[in-house]
């Protein structure tokens, strides 16, 4: 597999560098890094990260991981309000370009990123772990479901819809987390986005992930006063249960 984009709405459609590297300027300018000791680095980038910088960093880091020159990385970020369009995005699902729109190489359709949403860019070497894309996506779902359970929320997967969903009663279901993946040389990038306390009205400019008839929710919308720090701790704990330990 040289460079495969996973279209998560239909799995069958599957068709940072080291600190001394000059491409590491994003990592060295504000990223809290944990040295790798057997597991992936778990790193928090404070502040709002411009999306193009995130993509540039991921592209470089994935190349370094594939070449064996850098460890795997779990990169936790927030973005300013933006929309991103995956490889399956339908132009009709961009209802109003309220924010900048970026075309991206990940699988999936339109999604929103913004303050109050925890984005985790997942850069793992599946060749070393398990070169099975379906199993990887299942594990991403399991990771999010486990983290939500620690926070008191029952997240669920749906066979016909991507992401993690919360049943609200009366047949209503809202999405609380999105998944979008790309894989190059069996190294993953892009990842997941979990709604903590974003402005949910910002989703109104798109049909999120192309799914009509369902809404979006967040931990705050569900009545939980949960901080990003709480969410990060739950994500880290659940990750270790699903994927194995991270670097100390």
């Amino acid at each position: 597999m040289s460079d495969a984009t996973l279209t998560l709405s239909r799995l069958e459609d599957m068709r940072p560098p080291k600190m001394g590297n000059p491409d590491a300027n994003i990592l060295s300018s504000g990223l809290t890094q944990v040295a790798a000791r057997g597991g992936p680095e778990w790193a928090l980038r404070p502040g709002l990260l411009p999306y193009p910088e995130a993509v540039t960093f991921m592209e470089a880091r994935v190349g370094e991981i594939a070449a064996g020159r850098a460890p795997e990385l779990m990169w936790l970020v927030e973005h300013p309000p933006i929309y991103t369009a995956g490889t399956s995005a339908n132009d009709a699902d961009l209802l109003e370009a309220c924010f900048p729109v970026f075309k991206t190489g990940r699988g999936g359709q339109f999604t929103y990123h913004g303050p109050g949403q925890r984005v985790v860019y997942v850069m793992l070497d599946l060749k070393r772990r398990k070169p099975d894309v379906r199993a990887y996506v299942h594990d991403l779902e399991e990771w999010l479901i486990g983290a939500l359970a620690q926070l008191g929320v029952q997240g669920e997967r749906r066979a016909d819809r991507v992401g993690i969903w919360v049943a609200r009663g009366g047949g209503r279901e809202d999405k609380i987390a999105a998944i979008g993946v790309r894989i190059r040389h069996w190294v993953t990038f892009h990842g997941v986005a979990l709604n903590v306390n974003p402005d949910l009205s910002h989703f109104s400019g798109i049909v999120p992930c192309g799914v009509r008839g369902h809404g979006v929710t967040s931990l705050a919308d569900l009545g939980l006063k949960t901080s990003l720090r709480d969410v990060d701790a739950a994500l880290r704990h659940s990750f270790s249960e699903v994927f194995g330990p991270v670097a100390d």
Side-chain angles (χ1 to χ4, degrees), residues 188-208:
T188 69
F189 55 126
H190 296 277
V192 306
L194 175 60
N195 296 332
V196 182
N197 61 347
D199 185 339
L200 295 181
S201 70
H202 289 180
F203 286 86
S204 63
I206 58 172
V207 178

Side-chain angles (χ1 to χ4, degrees), residues 1 3-4 32 55 66 69 76 81 97 113 148 150 155 167 175 187 192-193 196 207 209 211 214 219 227 229 243:
M1 174 181 287
D3 192 350
T32 302
V55 174
R69 294 191 293 265
L76 286 69
H113 295 313
L148 287 168
Q150 293 180 53
K175 176 181 278 190
V187 178
V192 306
V196 182
V207 178
C209 300
V211 179
H214 297 282
L219 295 174
S227 69
R229 179 175 292 186
F243 290 96

Side-chain angles (χ1 to χ4, degrees), residues 36-50:
R37 297 176 182 173
E41 296 176 342
W42 187 272
L44 171 65
R45 199 280 190 187
L48 299 180
L49 176 65

Side-chain angles (χ1 to χ4, degrees), residues 8-233:
L8 290 171
S9 56
R10 292 180 59 203
L11 290 177
E12 63 271 22
D13 283 350
M14 184 178 60
R15 324 190 247 190
K18 291 183 179 180
M19 293 300 293
N21 189 299
D23 289 327
N25 59 317
I26 299 172
L27 182 65
S28 60
S29 61
L31 181 67
T32 302
Q33 185 182 27
V34 180
R37 297 176 182 173
E41 296 176 342
W42 187 272
L44 171 65
R45 199 280 190 187
L48 299 180
L49 176 65
Y51 187 74
E53 292 184 23
V55 174
T56 298
F57 176 75
M58 282 192 289
E59 293 274 353
R61 182 68 177 235
V62 165
E64 293 290 294
I65 294 171
R69 294 191 293 265
E72 300 172 314
L73 175 66
M74 303 294 294
W75 194 26
L76 286 69
V77 310
E78 277 184 283
H79 291 300
I82 59 167
Y83 297 132
T84 64
T87 55
S88 301
N90 183 339
D91 289 344
D93 289 340
L94 180 60
L95 306 178
E96 182 180 1
C98 308
F99 307 109
V101 180
F102 295 94
K103 291 186 177 180
T104 180
R106 62 161 174 79
Q109 303 187 46
F110 281 103
T111 193
Y112 165 79
H113 295 313
Q117 183 189 69
R118 173 55 78 213
V119 174
V120 186
Y121 290 126
V122 183
M123 289 164 265
L124 299 178
D125 185 355
L126 296 187
K127 190 163 50 178
R128 181 171 69 84
R129 291 173 173 268
K130 182 179 181 181
D132 184 327
V133 178
R134 291 177 182 270
Y136 170 62
V137 174
H138 179 275
D139 287 348
L140 289 178
E141 294 170 336
E142 198 67 21
W143 168 41
L144 289 167
I145 290 169
L148 287 168
Q150 293 180 53
L151 298 168
V153 174
Q154 183 176 338
E156 301 173 351
R157 52 171 65 87
R158 293 290 180 265
D160 61 336
R161 284 179 260 131
V162 299
I164 303 301
W165 298 81
V166 175
R168 307 296 298 272
R172 175 184 169 188
E173 295 182 337
D174 293 337
K175 176 181 278 190
I176 195 167
I179 300 173
V181 170
R182 189 170 184 177
I183 299 173
R184 177 178 297 161
H185 301 300
W186 286 112
V187 178
T188 69
F189 55 126
H190 296 277
V192 306
L194 175 60
N195 296 332
V196 182
N197 61 347
D199 185 339
L200 295 181
S201 70
H202 289 180
F203 286 86
S204 63
I206 58 172
V207 178
C209 300
V211 179
R212 299 177 183 271
H214 297 282
V216 291
T217 190
S218 66
L219 295 174
D221 183 53
L222 295 172
L224 299 176
K225 296 181 179 179
T226 308
S227 69
L228 281 170
R229 179 175 292 186
D230 295 333
V231 169
D232 294 346

